[in-house]
PDB file of all heavy atoms in Angstrom:
ATOM      1  N   PRO I  94      -3.689   9.831  11.619  1.00 98.00           N
ATOM      2  CA  PRO I  94      -4.006   9.075  10.400  1.00 98.00           C
ATOM      3  C   PRO I  94      -5.457   9.203   9.961  1.00 98.00           C
ATOM      4  O   PRO I  94      -6.357   9.449  10.776  1.00 98.00           O
ATOM      5  CB  PRO I  94      -3.701   7.633  10.820  1.00 98.00           C
ATOM      6  CG  PRO I  94      -4.007   7.604  12.288  1.00 98.00           C
ATOM      7  CD  PRO I  94      -3.575   8.958  12.810  1.00 98.00           C
ATOM      8  N   CYS I  95      -5.667   9.003   8.689  1.00 97.00           N
ATOM      9  CA  CYS I  95      -7.019   8.832   8.142  1.00 97.00           C
ATOM     10  C   CYS I  95      -7.458   7.379   8.301  1.00 97.00           C
ATOM     11  O   CYS I  95      -8.644   7.108   8.475  1.00 97.00           O
ATOM     12  CB  CYS I  95      -7.047   9.208   6.663  1.00 97.00           C
ATOM     13  SG  CYS I  95      -6.509  10.898   6.325  1.00 97.00           S
ATOM     14  N   TYR I  96      -6.502   6.464   8.212  1.00 98.00           N
ATOM     15  CA  TYR I  96      -6.781   5.049   8.417  1.00 98.00           C
ATOM     16  C   TYR I  96      -5.466   4.299   8.565  1.00 98.00           C
ATOM     17  O   TYR I  96      -4.383   4.845   8.308  1.00 98.00           O
ATOM     18  CB  TYR I  96      -7.601   4.458   7.270  1.00 98.00           C
ATOM     19  CG  TYR I  96      -6.984   4.528   5.892  1.00 98.00           C
ATOM     20  CD1 TYR I  96      -6.308   3.439   5.348  1.00 98.00           C
ATOM     21  CD2 TYR I  96      -7.127   5.678   5.105  1.00 98.00           C
ATOM     22  CE1 TYR I  96      -5.761   3.496   4.074  1.00 98.00           C
ATOM     23  CE2 TYR I  96      -6.591   5.741   3.834  1.00 98.00           C
ATOM     24  CZ  TYR I  96      -5.903   4.657   3.321  1.00 98.00           C
ATOM     25  OH  TYR I  96      -5.370   4.715   2.062  1.00 98.00           O
ATOM     26  N   GLY I  97      -5.570   3.047   8.999  1.00 98.00           N
ATOM     27  CA  GLY I  97      -4.359   2.255   9.143  1.00 98.00           C
ATOM     28  C   GLY I  97      -4.645   0.866   9.669  1.00 98.00           C
ATOM     29  O   GLY I  97      -5.788   0.504   9.969  1.00 98.00           O
ATOM     30  N   VAL I  98      -3.582   0.076   9.768  1.00 99.00           N
ATOM     31  CA  VAL I  98      -3.670  -1.295  10.273  1.00 99.00           C
ATOM     32  C   VAL I  98      -2.504  -1.513  11.225  1.00 99.00           C
ATOM     33  O   VAL I  98      -1.392  -1.027  10.974  1.00 99.00           O
ATOM     34  CB  VAL I  98      -3.640  -2.316   9.117  1.00 99.00           C
ATOM     35  CG1 VAL I  98      -2.345  -2.232   8.319  1.00 99.00           C
ATOM     36  CG2 VAL I  98      -3.874  -3.736   9.629  1.00 99.00           C
ATOM     37  N   ASN I  99      -2.741  -2.199  12.338  1.00 98.00           N
ATOM     38  CA  ASN I  99      -1.619  -2.451  13.248  1.00 98.00           C
ATOM     39  C   ASN I  99      -1.033  -3.848  13.019  1.00 98.00           C
ATOM     40  O   ASN I  99      -1.532  -4.625  12.205  1.00 98.00           O
ATOM     41  CB  ASN I  99      -1.991  -2.194  14.712  1.00 98.00           C
ATOM     42  CG  ASN I  99      -2.969  -3.200  15.313  1.00 98.00           C
ATOM     43  OD1 ASN I  99      -3.167  -4.302  14.792  1.00 98.00           O
ATOM     44  ND2 ASN I  99      -3.586  -2.816  16.417  1.00 98.00           N
ATOM     45  N   GLU I 100       0.033  -4.141  13.735  1.00 98.00           N
ATOM     46  CA  GLU I 100       0.773  -5.383  13.494  1.00 98.00           C
ATOM     47  C   GLU I 100      -0.024  -6.623  13.841  1.00 98.00           C
ATOM     48  O   GLU I 100       0.338  -7.732  13.429  1.00 98.00           O
ATOM     49  CB  GLU I 100       2.077  -5.366  14.278  1.00 98.00           C
ATOM     50  CG  GLU I 100       1.913  -5.232  15.779  1.00 98.00           C
ATOM     51  CD  GLU I 100       3.243  -5.152  16.500  1.00 98.00           C
ATOM     52  OE1 GLU I 100       4.142  -5.965  16.201  1.00 98.00           O
ATOM     53  OE2 GLU I 100       3.402  -4.259  17.368  1.00 98.00           O
ATOM     54  N   LYS I 101      -1.135  -6.486  14.575  1.00 98.00           N
ATOM     55  CA  LYS I 101      -1.999  -7.611  14.913  1.00 98.00           C
ATOM     56  C   LYS I 101      -3.140  -7.793  13.909  1.00 98.00           C
ATOM     57  O   LYS I 101      -3.935  -8.718  14.035  1.00 98.00           O
ATOM     58  CB  LYS I 101      -2.573  -7.440  16.316  1.00 98.00           C
ATOM     59  CG  LYS I 101      -1.513  -7.406  17.407  1.00 98.00           C
ATOM     60  CD  LYS I 101      -0.730  -8.709  17.470  1.00 98.00           C
ATOM     61  CE  LYS I 101       0.274  -8.698  18.613  1.00 98.00           C
ATOM     62  NZ  LYS I 101       1.029  -9.969  18.687  1.00 98.00           N
ATOM     63  N   GLY I 102      -3.214  -6.905  12.919  1.00 98.00           N
ATOM     64  CA  GLY I 102      -4.227  -7.044  11.876  1.00 98.00           C
ATOM     65  C   GLY I 102      -5.492  -6.246  12.113  1.00 98.00           C
ATOM     66  O   GLY I 102      -6.460  -6.391  11.360  1.00 98.00           O
ATOM     67  N   LEU I 103      -5.526  -5.384  13.125  1.00 98.00           N
ATOM     68  CA  LEU I 103      -6.687  -4.511  13.335  1.00 98.00           C
ATOM     69  C   LEU I 103      -6.620  -3.360  12.344  1.00 98.00           C
ATOM     70  O   LEU I 103      -5.632  -2.626  12.285  1.00 98.00           O
ATOM     71  CB  LEU I 103      -6.696  -3.966  14.760  1.00 98.00           C
ATOM     72  CG  LEU I 103      -7.815  -2.960  15.073  1.00 98.00           C
ATOM     73  CD1 LEU I 103      -9.182  -3.655  15.078  1.00 98.00           C
ATOM     74  CD2 LEU I 103      -7.566  -2.241  16.393  1.00 98.00           C
ATOM     75  N   PHE I 104      -7.692  -3.198  11.570  1.00 99.00           N
ATOM     76  CA  PHE I 104      -7.807  -2.129  10.571  1.00 99.00           C
ATOM     77  C   PHE I 104      -8.911  -1.182  10.995  1.00 99.00           C
ATOM     78  O   PHE I 104      -9.978  -1.610  11.460  1.00 99.00           O
ATOM     79  CB  PHE I 104      -8.123  -2.723   9.197  1.00 99.00           C
ATOM     80  CG  PHE I 104      -8.506  -1.701   8.156  1.00 99.00           C
ATOM     81  CD1 PHE I 104      -7.520  -1.001   7.476  1.00 99.00           C
ATOM     82  CD2 PHE I 104      -9.837  -1.440   7.863  1.00 99.00           C
ATOM     83  CE1 PHE I 104      -7.864  -0.048   6.519  1.00 99.00           C
ATOM     84  CE2 PHE I 104     -10.192  -0.499   6.908  1.00 99.00           C
ATOM     85  CZ  PHE I 104      -9.198   0.201   6.227  1.00 99.00           C
ATOM     86  N   LEU I 105      -8.685   0.124  10.820  1.00 98.00           N
ATOM     87  CA  LEU I 105      -9.686   1.121  11.195  1.00 98.00           C
ATOM     88  C   LEU I 105      -9.626   2.284  10.223  1.00 98.00           C
ATOM     89  O   LEU I 105      -8.543   2.793   9.903  1.00 98.00           O
ATOM     90  CB  LEU I 105      -9.427   1.611  12.625  1.00 98.00           C
ATOM     91  CG  LEU I 105     -10.357   2.675  13.201  1.00 98.00           C
ATOM     92  CD1 LEU I 105     -11.794   2.179  13.253  1.00 98.00           C
ATOM     93  CD2 LEU I 105      -9.902   3.067  14.607  1.00 98.00           C
ATOM     94  N   VAL I 106     -10.806   2.706   9.751  1.00 98.00           N
ATOM     95  CA  VAL I 106     -10.888   3.829   8.816  1.00 98.00           C
ATOM     96  C   VAL I 106     -12.131   4.653   9.129  1.00 98.00           C
ATOM     97  O   VAL I 106     -13.130   4.123   9.617  1.00 98.00           O
ATOM     98  CB  VAL I 106     -10.929   3.331   7.351  1.00 98.00           C
ATOM     99  CG1 VAL I 106     -12.158   2.489   7.076  1.00 98.00           C
ATOM    100  CG2 VAL I 106     -10.846   4.496   6.369  1.00 98.00           C
ATOM    101  N   GLU I 107     -12.054   5.950   8.851  1.00 97.00           N
ATOM    102  CA  GLU I 107     -13.239   6.790   8.986  1.00 97.00           C
ATOM    103  C   GLU I 107     -13.799   7.112   7.608  1.00 97.00           C
ATOM    104  O   GLU I 107     -13.066   7.224   6.622  1.00 97.00           O
ATOM    105  CB  GLU I 107     -12.932   8.063   9.774  1.00 97.00           C
ATOM    106  CG  GLU I 107     -11.937   9.005   9.135  1.00 97.00           C
ATOM    107  CD  GLU I 107     -12.535   9.881   8.069  1.00 97.00           C
ATOM    108  OE1 GLU I 107     -13.729  10.228   8.175  1.00 97.00           O
ATOM    109  OE2 GLU I 107     -11.826  10.209   7.113  1.00 97.00           O
ATOM    110  N   LEU I 108     -15.121   7.260   7.541  1.00 97.00           N
ATOM    111  CA  LEU I 108     -15.817   7.650   6.316  1.00 97.00           C
ATOM    112  C   LEU I 108     -16.845   8.712   6.688  1.00 97.00           C
ATOM    113  O   LEU I 108     -17.555   8.589   7.691  1.00 97.00           O
ATOM    114  CB  LEU I 108     -16.523   6.455   5.663  1.00 97.00           C
ATOM    115  CG  LEU I 108     -15.670   5.249   5.287  1.00 97.00           C
ATOM    116  CD1 LEU I 108     -15.612   4.241   6.433  1.00 97.00           C
ATOM    117  CD2 LEU I 108     -16.238   4.549   4.032  1.00 97.00           C
ATOM    118  N   TYR I 109     -16.931   9.755   5.886  1.00 95.00           N
ATOM    119  CA  TYR I 109     -17.828  10.875   6.174  1.00 95.00           C
ATOM    120  C   TYR I 109     -19.267  10.398   6.386  1.00 95.00           C
ATOM    121  O   TYR I 109     -19.768   9.560   5.640  1.00 95.00           O
ATOM    122  CB  TYR I 109     -17.778  11.859   5.002  1.00 95.00           C
ATOM    123  CG  TYR I 109     -18.652  13.072   5.179  1.00 95.00           C
ATOM    124  CD1 TYR I 109     -18.178  14.187   5.864  1.00 95.00           C
ATOM    125  CD2 TYR I 109     -19.948  13.094   4.664  1.00 95.00           C
ATOM    126  CE1 TYR I 109     -18.979  15.297   6.021  1.00 95.00           C
ATOM    127  CE2 TYR I 109     -20.754  14.200   4.824  1.00 95.00           C
ATOM    128  CZ  TYR I 109     -20.273  15.306   5.504  1.00 95.00           C
ATOM    129  OH  TYR I 109     -21.080  16.404   5.672  1.00 95.00           O
ATOM    130  N   LEU I 110     -19.917  10.945   7.412  1.00 96.00           N
ATOM    131  CA  LEU I 110     -21.331  10.667   7.673  1.00 96.00           C
ATOM    132  C   LEU I 110     -22.012  11.941   8.133  1.00 96.00           C
ATOM    133  O   LEU I 110     -21.671  12.504   9.177  1.00 96.00           O
ATOM    134  CB  LEU I 110     -21.493   9.573   8.735  1.00 96.00           C
ATOM    135  CG  LEU I 110     -22.955   9.206   9.059  1.00 96.00           C
ATOM    136  CD1 LEU I 110     -23.628   8.562   7.840  1.00 96.00           C
ATOM    137  CD2 LEU I 110     -23.036   8.295  10.264  1.00 96.00           C
ATOM    138  N   GLU I 111     -22.982  12.392   7.387  1.00 94.00           N
ATOM    139  CA  GLU I 111     -23.657  13.662   7.628  1.00 94.00           C
ATOM    140  C   GLU I 111     -24.303  13.733   9.007  1.00 94.00           C
ATOM    141  O   GLU I 111     -24.260  14.765   9.674  1.00 94.00           O
ATOM    142  CB  GLU I 111     -24.720  13.877   6.542  1.00 94.00           C
ATOM    143  CG  GLU I 111     -25.539  15.139   6.704  1.00 94.00           C
ATOM    144  CD  GLU I 111     -24.748  16.404   6.396  1.00 94.00           C
ATOM    145  OE1 GLU I 111     -23.708  16.290   5.708  1.00 94.00           O
ATOM    146  OE2 GLU I 111     -25.136  17.484   6.855  1.00 94.00           O
TER     147      GLU I 111
END
Side-chain angles (χ1 to χ4, degrees):
C95 302
Y96 60 98
V98 61
N99 70 18
E100 59 183 314
K101 298 298 183 179
L103 176 69
F104 170 82
L105 179 61
V106 63
E107 64 81 31
L108 302 91
Y109 181 86
L110 181 66
E111 178 72 20

